[in-house]
C-alpha cells in the first residue's frame, strides 16, 4: 500500500455563504486579517439638534475606531477612511463635513477597544476620562498622546459595496507625541511593533 500525504486543510464553506465570485465572507476576512494596519480614532461633533434654539442640547462628540485609513495624495493633502454604510459615523459625516483623526500609539489600545465595541454606551461617556483637546479647525476631539493628529474636511464620498469611502482634505496636521510605537491591528487583534 502506498503512503500518500494528506491534503492540506482548508476552510469548507457551504455554497450559500459564497459570493458569485467564489470567495466566502470567512475566507475574505481570514485573508485580509493578515494585512497589518495602523489604528486611528476618527472623531466629529454632531451638530446641535436645533441650531435656532439656544436651549436645545449641544451636539455630541462621536468617535469610531478605524483601521481602513490611508494617505491618498500629497498635493492636495488627502486621506481616506472607510466607514460601514449606515453606521453612526457614516450618517454623521454625510451631514457634517468636518472630522478629525488621531493616530493611536501602542499604549492606547484601551481607546481603540472602547470605541470599537458594539452596543456601547453614549460616546459622551466614552470621551469623559480620555485626555483630549478640541481641534482648531473642526472642533472635534483630538486624543492626547496620539502619535499624529489630522483635521479634515470631506471632499468626496464614494459608495463601495457595504462601505462608504470618505476622502478628506487635510486642513491641519500635527505630531504631538514622538514617544512609543504605533498601535497595529493584525489577525483580529491589537498589537504593537517589535
Amino acid at each position: 500500500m502506498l503512503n500518500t500525504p494528506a491534503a492540506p486543510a482548508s476552510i469548507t464553506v457551504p455554497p450559500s455563504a459564497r459570493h458569485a465570485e467564489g470567495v466566502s465572507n470567512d475566507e475574505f476576512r481570514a485573508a485580509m486579517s493578515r494585512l497589518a494596519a495602523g489604528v486611528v480614532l476618527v472623531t466629529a461633533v454632531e451638530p446641535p439638534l436645533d441650531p435656532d434654539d439656544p436651549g436645545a442640547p449641544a451636539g455630541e462628540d462621536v468617535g469610531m475606531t478605524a483601521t481602513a485609513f490611508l494617505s491618498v495624495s500629497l498635493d492636495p493633502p488627502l486621506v481616506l477612511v472607510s466607514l460601514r454604510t449606515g453606521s453612526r459615523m457614516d450618517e454623521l459625516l454625510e451631514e457634517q463635513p468636518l472630522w478629525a483623526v488621531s493616530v493611536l500609539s501602542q499604549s492606547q489600545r484601551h481607546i481603540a477597544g472602547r470605541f470599537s465595541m458594539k452596543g456601547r454606551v453614549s460616546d459622551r461617556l466614552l470621551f469623559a476620562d480620555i485626555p483630549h483637546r478640541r481641534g482648531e479647525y473642526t472642533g472635534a476631539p483630538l486624543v492626547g498622546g496620539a502619535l499624529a493628529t489630522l483635521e479634515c474636511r470631506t471632499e468626496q464620498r464614494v459608495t463601495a459595496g457595504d462601505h462608504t469611502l470618505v476622502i478628506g482634505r487635510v486642513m491641519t496636521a500635527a505630531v504631538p507625541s514622538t514617544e512609543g510605537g504605533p498601535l497595529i491591528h493584525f489577525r483580529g487583534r491589537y498589537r504593537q511593533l517589535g
Side-chain angles (χ1 to χ4, degrees):
M1 183 174 233
L2 291 174
N3 247 352
T4 57
S10 64
I11 299 172
T12 305
V13 179
S16 62
R18 290 189 172 275
H19 297 279
E21 294 79 14
V23 67
S24 72
N25 290 352
D26 289 341
E27 290 167 331
F28 182 66
R29 275 193 197 102
M32 295 311 296
S33 75
R34 277 22 180 213
L35 177 63
V39 183
V40 302
L41 183 67
V42 179
T43 57
V45 179
E46 195 171 51
L49 293 176
D50 184 356
D52 298 328
D53 178 4
E60 187 173 281
D61 293 330
V62 178
M64 181 200 88
T65 303
T67 56
F69 175 78
L70 57 103
S71 168
V72 173
S73 168
L74 183 60
D75 186 15
L78 298 174
V79 293
L80 177 149
V81 65
S82 179
L83 307 173
R84 186 174 40 80
T85 301
S87 67
R88 183 173 184 198
M89 187 62 76
D90 177 44
E91 291 175 355
L92 174 55
L93 294 190
E94 190 168 21
E95 66 177 276
Q96 162 62 283
L98 303 178
W99 45 284
V101 174
S102 298
V103 179
L104 299 180
S105 73
Q106 61 193 15
S107 66
Q108 294 176 315
R109 178 185 297 202
H110 65 289
I111 295 172
R114 181 182 293 192
F115 284 91
S116 65
M117 288 187 301
K118 289 183 176 32
R120 62 186 194 227
V121 297
S122 160
D123 284 11
R124 180 176 39 83
L125 297 175
L126 297 179
F127 279 108
D129 64 345
I130 294 174
H132 64 277
R133 65 177 179 80
R134 298 255 164 223
E136 293 175 28
Y137 184 81
T138 62
L142 299 170
V143 176
L147 296 178
T149 58
L150 306 165
E151 292 185 272
C152 307
R153 183 185 72 228
T154 299
E155 293 273 305
Q156 188 176 2
R157 292 172 57 87
V158 179
T159 300
D162 59 2
H163 277 62
T164 303
L165 307 179
V166 179
I167 299 170
R169 182 180 292 247
V170 178
M171 306 308 290
T172 71
V175 182
S177 176
T178 57
E179 298 300 313
L183 183 60
I184 302 292
H185 193 258
F186 180 69
R187 294 184 73 176
R189 295 181 49 206
Y190 296 119
R191 302 172 189 267
Q192 57 192 40
L193 290 179

